[in-house]
């Protein structure tokens, strides 16, 4: 890149926070026998609630239960709360009858926690009451057996209260619950029409609602055109100033094209707000510079700004890739619209990227706006986003669709490494997968992925395993 400055932080879209239902419990028969036990366990439960709140979750804490009757009351509160994940904290031994109703009635995924107070007991000084505070492991097999017999899925994390390894695993389930929530409550815009001939990217909107939840909003290019026509000169100027803060403007940028891109960007924001969109996938072919072609050609700047704010926008009518981008963004990986560019057998890397919108957060430096007299494979002209992906670990995530219509996740972890890159108005990266690039490409193509996917920062396969588990999707790792 031509600048050492990174893109400025853009305000994130305000969405629904992940809602965690928390119920902690233990066997009430212990309380009169060991008076100091219950206060200790309740303090542990408060600490767990605090840790969840620090993850930017909305915590619905229904308190501490001691018997099946209290468990049933807690179950009703959590059913009404419509949580994205139910967490049952096993502070000591408790019967399965206390938690089965919670899991049955909520309809939400269940995570069981066995977090003892410290790494180990002090065997020389502990009496029975002190030991029971470490006895959360005891009921875990009972819960597992009872849940299986009741047809209830669950997952568990065992450790101790301040065990960061355990909290890392818990964090994966929290992030996965956030992805599930984004799909359940999401509104996904599908604007325009399919890029002619791209058979792999065709997606039945009904299958999105059926398998992932949420709603697909079918939009026309006129829905954007009419909003473009209502943008004021002052709004356009303001968006140009924002773009100058976020991007480096290359000498190839034509002022009128920059102004047009800024105008379309303002209208895109209004479109997203009016239809309450979580994601957007778009394409319109156009002809001979007519109004709709100009609107479609002006979307790259605005779509990139939307993506950076946490509203993934993908070109070429790529609904499934916009959803994969949402997965990566919710995992904190900032998924960007990506495809293969070329293979470099000298350096053993796969070169990939895409023209059009990109996630600015993965740029190695301040992203560039480049003026293009033509968009390859598309009609129109204007400004395009160009940057090199930040060096370090990355993960590819695609949402595939099988012959029977079922979706599945496909992922691969690699490392972005330095080297020569194209300067053609695209995002670009050189990814080392630790193997022959030709063999990797063959395996990646055979996985069922389409020719677009999301590229995000960090190694995220463990997170994607949790996402796949909560969404009941298969995960293929290449």
């Amino acid at each position: 890149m031509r600048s050492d400055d990174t893109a400025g932080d853009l305000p994130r879209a305000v969405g629904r926070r992940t809602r965690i239902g928390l119920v902690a419990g233990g066997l009430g028969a212990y309380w009169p026998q060991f008076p100091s036990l219950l206060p200790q366990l309740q303090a542990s439960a408060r600490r767990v609630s605090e840790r969840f709140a620090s993850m930017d979750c909305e915590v619905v804490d229904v308190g501490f239960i001691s018997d099946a009757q209290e468990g049933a009351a807690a179950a009703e509160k959590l059913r009404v709360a419509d949580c994205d994940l139910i967490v049952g904290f096993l502070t000591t031994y408790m019967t399965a009858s206390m938690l089965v109703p919670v899991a049955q009635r909520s309809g939400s995924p269940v995570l069981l926690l066995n977090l003892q107070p410290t790494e180990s007991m002090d065997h020389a000084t502990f009496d029975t009451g002190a030991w029971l505070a470490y006895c959360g492991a005891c009921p875990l097999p009972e819960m597992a057996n009872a849940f299986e017999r009741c047809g209830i899925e669950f997952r568990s994390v065992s450790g101790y209260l301040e065990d960061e390894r355990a909290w890392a695993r818990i964090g994966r389930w929290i992030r996965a619950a956030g992805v599930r929530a984004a799909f359940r409550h999401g509104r996904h815009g599908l604007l325009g029409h399919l890029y002619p001939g791209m058979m792999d990217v065709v997606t039945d909107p009904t299958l999105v609602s059926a398998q992932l939840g949420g709603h697909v909003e079918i939009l026309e290019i006129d829905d954007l055109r009419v909003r473009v026509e209502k943008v004021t000169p002052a709004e356009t100027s303001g968006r140009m100033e924002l773009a100058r803060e976020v991007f480096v403007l290359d000498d190839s940028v034509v002022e009128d094209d920059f102004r047009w891109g800024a105008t379309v960007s303002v209208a895109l924001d209004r479109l997203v707000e009016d239809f309450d969109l979580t994601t957007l996938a778009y394409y319109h072919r156009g002809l001979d510079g007519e109004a709709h072609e100009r609107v479609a050609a002006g979307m790259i700047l605005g779509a990139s700004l939307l993506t950076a704010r946490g509203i993934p926008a993908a070109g070429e009518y790529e609904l499934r890739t916009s959803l994969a981008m949402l997965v990566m963004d919710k995992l904190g990986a900032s998924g960007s619209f990506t495809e293969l560019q070329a293979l470099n057998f000298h350096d053993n890397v796969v070169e990939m990227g895409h023209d059009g919108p990109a996630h600015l957060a993965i740029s190695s430096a301040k992203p560039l706006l480049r003026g293009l007299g033509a968009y390859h494979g598309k009609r129109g002209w204007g400004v395009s986003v160009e940057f090199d992906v930040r060096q370090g670990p990355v993960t590819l995530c695609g949402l595939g669709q099988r012959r029977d219509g079922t979706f599945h996740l496909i992922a691969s972890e690699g490392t972005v490494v330095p080297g020569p890159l194209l300067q053609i108005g695209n995002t670009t990266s050189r990814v080392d997968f630790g193997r022959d690039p030709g063999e990797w490409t063959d395996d990646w193509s055979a996985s069922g992925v389409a020719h677009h996917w999301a590229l995000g920062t960090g190694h995220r396969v463990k997170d994607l395993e949790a996402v796949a588990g909560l969404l009941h999707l298969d995960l293929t790792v290449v």
Side-chain angles (χ1 to χ4, degrees), residues 219-372:
L219 302 168
E220 303 283 357
I221 190 69
D222 290 306
D223 289 317
L224 182 56
R225 177 188 58 80
V226 295
R227 288 168 173 81
V228 169
E229 293 169 353
K230 295 177 180 178
V231 175
T232 67
E235 289 173 323
T236 295
S237 296
R239 186 54 50 93
M240 293 172 75
E241 287 304 310
L242 173 64
R244 288 189 180 97
E245 295 175 6
V246 174
F247 297 92
V248 173
L249 268 63
D250 187 73
D251 292 340
S252 60
V253 171
V254 176
E255 183 72 9
D256 286 347
D257 294 344
F258 178 36
R259 183 173 297 277
W260 178 248
T263 300
V264 176
S265 175
V266 174
L268 270 173
D269 283 4
R270 199 155 290 153
L271 181 82
V272 166
E273 181 179 356
D274 290 347
F275 286 95
D276 191 24
L277 299 181
T278 308
T279 68
L280 176 66
Y282 66 89
Y283 176 75
H284 181 81
R285 181 166 55 188
L287 183 66
D288 294 339
E290 50 82 34
H292 296 110
E293 179 186 291
R294 292 296 296 131
V295 169
M299 292 179 68
I300 294 174
L301 170 60
S304 297
L305 291 173
L306 281 173
T307 302
R309 289 175 45 214
I311 304 170
E316 299 180 13
Y317 212 60
E318 251 291 23
L319 174 58
R320 293 202 312 278
T321 295
S322 68
L323 299 179
M325 292 164 64
L326 179 63
V327 171
M328 295 299 277
D329 191 78
K330 291 297 181 182
L331 295 179
S334 307
S336 195
F337 191 36
T338 307
E339 67 183 1
L340 294 175
Q341 290 180 326
L343 308 182
N344 187 323
F345 292 95
H346 181 270
D347 296 336
N348 282 326
V349 298
V350 178
E351 298 186 35
M352 58 184 69
H354 209 288
D355 62 327
H359 201 308
L360 307 180
I362 71 171
S363 178
S364 63
K366 196 168 185 177
L368 182 84
L369 276 186
R370 184 180 292 280
L372 297 177

Side-chain angles (χ1 to χ4, degrees), residues 22-234:
L22 176 62
V23 56
L27 189 66
Y30 294 151
W31 314 151
Q33 295 175 324
F34 309 100
S36 64
L37 178 59
L38 179 58
Q40 180 183 2
L41 301 181
Q42 289 173 324
S44 293
R46 287 192 296 272
R47 178 58 179 152
V48 169
S49 185
E50 290 170 359
R51 288 291 299 251
F52 283 137
S54 71
M55 296 179 181
D56 194 31
C57 296
E58 178 186 346
V59 182
V60 180
D61 189 342
V62 297
F64 202 97
I65 61 175
S66 301
D67 55 35
Q69 291 91 336
E70 292 180 359
E76 181 60 19
K77 293 177 183 176
L78 292 175
R79 182 191 67 80
V80 173
D82 187 28
C83 296
D84 303 312
L85 183 71
I86 299 295
V87 178
F89 179 21
L90 316 178
T91 65
T92 185
Y93 177 75
M94 55 193 297
T95 64
S97 63
M98 297 166 64
L99 280 187
V100 163
V102 172
Q104 283 179 319
R105 297 178 192 177
S106 70
S108 302
V110 177
L111 172 65
L112 299 178
L113 296 187
N114 158 41
L115 300 176
Q116 63 189 40
T118 64
E119 294 173 272
S120 64
M121 295 185 292
D122 184 352
H123 296 78
T125 62
F126 270 31
D127 59 13
T128 302
W131 154 61
L132 286 172
Y134 285 72
C135 201
C138 180
L140 185 55
E142 176 177 337
M143 299 295 170
N145 180 280
F147 280 23
E148 194 279 331
R149 293 167 68 183
C150 292
I152 300 168
E153 293 186 1
F154 77 98
R155 58 285 307 156
S156 66
V157 174
S158 293
Y160 59 94
L161 204 56
E162 304 299 339
D163 182 356
E164 295 307 320
R165 296 168 302 177
W167 280 104
R169 300 197 300 275
I170 293 167
R172 291 189 193 116
W173 292 114
I174 299 299
R175 290 188 293 274
V179 173
R180 177 179 179 271
F183 281 144
R184 287 180 66 227
H185 300 278
R187 291 176 52 83
H188 310 292
L190 193 55
L191 185 154
H193 60 83
L194 180 71
Y195 188 105
M198 287 187 180
M199 297 171 66
D200 61 325
V201 307
V202 179
T203 303
D204 180 347
T206 301
L207 294 182
V208 173
S209 297
Q211 298 181 46
L212 304 175
H215 168 76
V216 177
E217 183 72 19
I218 305 300
L219 302 168
E220 303 283 357
I221 190 69
D222 290 306
D223 289 317
L224 182 56
R225 177 188 58 80
V226 295
R227 288 168 173 81
V228 169
E229 293 169 353
K230 295 177 180 178
V231 175
T232 67

